[in-house]
Amino acid sequence: MKKEEKSLGLYVHIPFCAKKCDYCDFYSLPGMESRIDAYVQALETQLVEISPRANHHLVDSVYFGGGTPSLLGSKRLVRLLKTIQKKYHVAKDAEITLEANPESAGDFKELRALRRAGFNRLSLGMQSADDNELRAIGRIHTAAQVKTAVEAARKAKFLNLSLDLIYGLPGQSMETWQKNLTAAVDLAPQHLSCYGLKVEDGTPLFQRRDSEHFPDDEAQAEMYLWTVDYLHRHGFFQYEISNFARTGFESRHNLKYWTLGEYAGFGPGSHSDFGSVRYAYEKDLERYIAGVKAGGPLLSENERIPPLDRDTEWLMLGLRTVWGLDPKVFEKQFRRRFDCFVPFLEECRQAGYAVEEDGRWHLTPKGFLVSNQIIGGMLDALGADKKRREEARARGDFRVDLG
């Protein structure tokens, strides 16, 4: 990487899906295949228009997410990737990920065409190895199709495979979750994402929540702690609350989100943190397509954030990772002492929620289970410190500042 180049990730949102899952609250659109070509054209146009802003950036990760990106088929996906490769400075070893559902990723020839074009990481939405559980959450694939997709990916020479799983599904027991995770590990992926089910307002699963039997919080906690231990014993390194990888196979793209790296999103509902500006596009396919034609899609968020005001994000995101918080980095980056957090972190340590190693503070698996409460406590400490500093400055006492 040249000295003047900064690292950049690109996220391309593909909102189309064959059927919306019962738990899904992402922006995705079933039954809209007739709009795929118009949308691909709009994406291409915007990718080209935005590219001059990335002249001094090296793209080291590209992520096609959704929805179900594999619904586009290899020709359209390759077309989009070639546009990126032509208009952006893409690193030779860039991580280029395609999300796919198993039922749309079983064609070896399609996967081979994608891999030859430059896609080198495949993320499959496995979710469960139990067909009854899959039907209970509205998934349209089967456990057998997961195996078929994995075999096709290996035959196509994908060397970096990730599987998504959900625990806490309706009617799920610890035993059935253990079988699911064991089945996933047996497929020999390089990366696993294991998420606890969240029943989001407005989803079909939320509407029938009273008639479903969900594992309670205690049962989900037991599933999570067992997962961390089991995957550790099977060679998977936990690097974020829900993410585990073989050494060297952490998701480079997702790490940008958790380390305040720069990324640019494309498509309705996509988010960006690029050039010190955080922005997002409206969740509206037709308005996005029309907006690109008219000179720019409509934004739902647009905020310039000074570097010194990113301390809250730094804390929240850092505590999601196993690397946690480095006080020296905090003090250098935000020009204030880390001391204000230590009393609260000591309380967390005594409760078994946090540890200090090599000068860094990070949460334990037990702490990850209550990370929202811990982050809240850290933000309270930050707010109290800011108030104290402001009061000191008002008195003319500037000794609270670093340097």
Side-chain angles (χ1 to χ4, degrees):
M1 187 186 301
K2 297 177 183 178
K3 185 176 181 181
E4 70 273 14
E5 287 183 321
K6 299 177 182 178
S7 171
L8 177 67
L10 302 183
Y11 174 80
V12 183
H13 188 62
I14 308 299
F16 306 101
C17 59
K19 177 187 177 296
K20 200 171 179 73
C21 300
D22 290 359
Y23 57 86
C24 178
D25 71 335
F26 292 123
Y27 182 65
S28 58
L29 304 167
M32 293 289 288
E33 287 84 356
S34 64
R35 300 300 287 152
I36 287 179
D37 286 323
Y39 180 62
V40 169
Q41 180 61 57
L43 278 177
E44 276 192 300
T45 299
Q46 199 197 13
L47 282 163
V48 172
E49 288 177 350
I50 296 294
S51 61
R53 292 176 48 193
N55 280 344
H56 298 292
H57 288 74
L58 181 69
V59 173
D60 61 356
S61 73
V62 182
Y63 196 104
F64 284 72
T68 307
S70 47
L71 271 185
L72 264 60
S74 62
K75 290 183 179 179
R76 295 188 186 98
L77 289 166
V78 169
R79 176 176 152 193
L80 288 169
L81 182 57
K82 286 188 183 238
T83 299
I84 291 170
Q85 292 166 332
K86 181 178 178 180
K87 292 296 180 177
Y88 294 80
H89 184 191
V90 180
K92 291 182 179 179
D93 64 342
E95 174 193 270
I96 302 178
T97 302
L98 176 72
E99 282 188 348
N101 282 347
E103 77 282 355
S104 63
D107 189 322
F108 147 68
K109 292 182 179 179
E110 286 276 296
L111 293 177
R112 182 177 61 184
L114 292 168
R115 199 264 308 159
R116 287 177 173 175
F119 288 92
N120 53 30
R121 185 174 185 270
L122 189 65
S123 179
L124 287 174
M126 177 179 177
Q127 314 312 359
S128 172
D130 185 299
D131 286 341
N132 291 326
E133 289 182 350
L134 291 170
R135 285 193 293 271
I137 56 175
R139 298 290 289 183
I140 61 175
H141 76 267
T142 64
Q145 286 175 313
V146 174
K147 293 182 179 179
T148 298
V150 170
E151 289 171 359
R154 296 308 190 195
K155 188 176 179 182
K157 298 186 179 178
F158 272 91
L159 303 179
N160 191 349
L161 175 67
S162 179
L163 299 176
D164 283 4
L165 290 160
I166 303 175
Y167 58 90
L169 298 177
Q172 191 174 67
S173 65
M174 172 65 89
E175 182 182 1
T176 55
W177 167 243
Q178 290 174 338
K179 289 180 179 178
N180 287 345
L181 191 58
T182 300
V185 170
D186 286 345
L187 293 172
Q190 282 65 48
H191 186 280
L192 283 162
S193 295
C194 301
Y195 302 105
L197 177 68
K198 292 183 179 179
V199 183
E200 303 286 1
D201 193 0
T203 63
L205 204 55
F206 182 86
Q207 294 172 3
R208 62 174 193 266
R209 64 193 183 282
D210 293 334
S211 61
E212 296 280 7
H213 175 68
F214 297 98
D216 58 23
D217 290 345
E218 184 177 347
Q220 274 209 26
E222 290 178 0
M223 291 176 181
Y224 177 76
L225 293 175
W226 181 85
T227 298
V228 173
D229 177 67
Y230 179 82
L231 290 180
H232 174 74
R233 287 187 282 111
H234 286 79
F236 288 87
F237 166 67
Q238 182 182 22
Y239 66 99
E240 193 267 347
I241 290 178
S242 304
N243 286 276
F244 307 80
R246 300 285 187 191
T247 302
F249 287 95
E250 301 87 352
S251 171
R252 189 186 304 176
H253 186 82
N254 286 340
L255 280 171
K256 292 185 183 300
Y257 302 145
W258 302 316
T259 58
L260 293 181
E262 287 192 281
Y263 54 92
F266 299 86
S270 66
H271 288 72
S272 301
D273 191 342
F274 183 30
S276 298
V277 179
R278 189 166 52 203
Y279 58 94
Y281 296 115
E282 284 189 346
K283 297 179 178 179
D284 191 312
L285 176 68
E286 296 303 332
R287 284 167 70 88
Y288 176 83
I289 294 172
V292 171
K293 290 181 179 178
L298 299 173
L299 297 175
S300 61
E301 300 174 29
N302 187 24
E303 181 182 13
R304 180 171 291 277
I305 307 175
L308 291 179
D309 291 346
R310 289 181 174 263
D311 48 3
T312 297
E313 293 174 87
W314 187 88
L315 289 168
M316 293 174 63
L317 296 171
L319 284 172
R320 290 185 60 91
T321 73
V322 294
W323 300 288
L325 309 176
D326 186 333
K328 293 180 180 178
V329 171
F330 178 85
E331 294 182 349
K332 181 179 179 180
Q333 194 162 329
F334 302 109
R335 301 177 191 172
R336 61 177 63 99
R337 301 288 183 191
F338 191 82
D339 299 356
C340 65
F341 304 113
V342 174
F344 177 71
L345 286 170
E346 286 290 354
E347 292 180 21
C348 292
R349 172 157 58 184
Q350 292 174 16
Y353 295 145
V355 294
E356 182 186 17
E357 293 179 323
D358 299 323
R360 304 177 69 104
W361 286 91
H362 68 87
L363 301 187
T364 63
K366 181 180 174 182
F368 280 144
L369 283 170
V370 291
S371 60
N372 288 339
Q373 294 94 311
I374 293 174
I375 289 170
M378 293 290 286
L379 296 184
D380 288 343
L382 179 64
D385 184 61
K386 287 183 176 180
K387 182 178 180 180
R388 177 184 65 82
R389 289 158 59 84
E390 290 168 359
E391 291 174 347
R393 288 197 192 97
R395 297 192 305 268
D397 182 359
F398 295 93
R399 289 175 295 177
V400 293
D401 294 311
L402 283 177

